[in-house]
Amino acid sequence: MMKIPALVLALAPLSVTACAVVPPADSTPPQPAGYAVPIGQPVQVGDLILTPRKLVEDSRCPMNARCVWAGRVVVKTTIAGAGWADTADLTLGEPYGTHGKVIALVSVRPEKMAGTETQPMEYRFVYEPR
């Protein structure tokens, strides 16, 4: 009978998990896709983990106003896959592709209102695979 070295047995579980996407140690576990997350909260979208980092722009037309331009929302987002991570500015409603994956920022809450200012930590973002 052939003996298997102890080191090989000890490292065997690591070979199974080597391709897993693991969130940074300093973060909370990711929420499931479709979940509205605040800045800094990761969300699992397919086999990716997305984390909104910063509100770059919210030029949406307030829901209680009339505007010539609808405006847009841009969120700096960290996108992490198996063995890689990128940071990109994602625009509401526009698909974004990286490493053979396509995702989108599909919803931003709260709605913008004229006469009020929403603080960055009040925002909630929803991402989905495309």
Side-chain angles (χ1 to χ4, degrees), residues 33 44-50 79 84 86 90-91 93-106 127-130:
Q44 182 94 34
V45 179
D47 59 353
L48 302 176
I49 295 177
L50 281 65
I79 306 160
W84 61 270
D86 288 337
L90 274 61
T91 301
E94 295 181 9
Y96 179 82
T98 183
H99 291 79
K101 309 288 182 180
V102 180
I103 52 169
L105 174 63
V106 297
Y127 300 91
E128 291 181 357
R130 291 287 180 225

Side-chain angles (χ1 to χ4, degrees), residues 33 53 83:
R53 296 294 178 189

Side-chain angles (χ1 to χ4, degrees), residues 31-89:
Q31 296 296 329
Y35 192 87
V37 294
I39 290 174
Q41 172 70 50
V43 62
Q44 182 94 34
V45 179
D47 59 353
L48 302 176
I49 295 177
L50 281 65
T51 307
R53 296 294 178 189
K54 178 183 176 185
L55 180 68
V56 176
E57 176 185 338
D58 184 358
S59 60
R60 294 176 293 172
C61 179
M63 63 182 300
N64 58 344
R66 290 182 186 215
C67 303
V68 175
W69 183 54
R72 65 186 194 154
V73 176
V74 179
V75 180
K76 184 169 293 302
T77 303
T78 300
I79 306 160
W84 61 270
D86 288 337
T87 299
D89 289 346

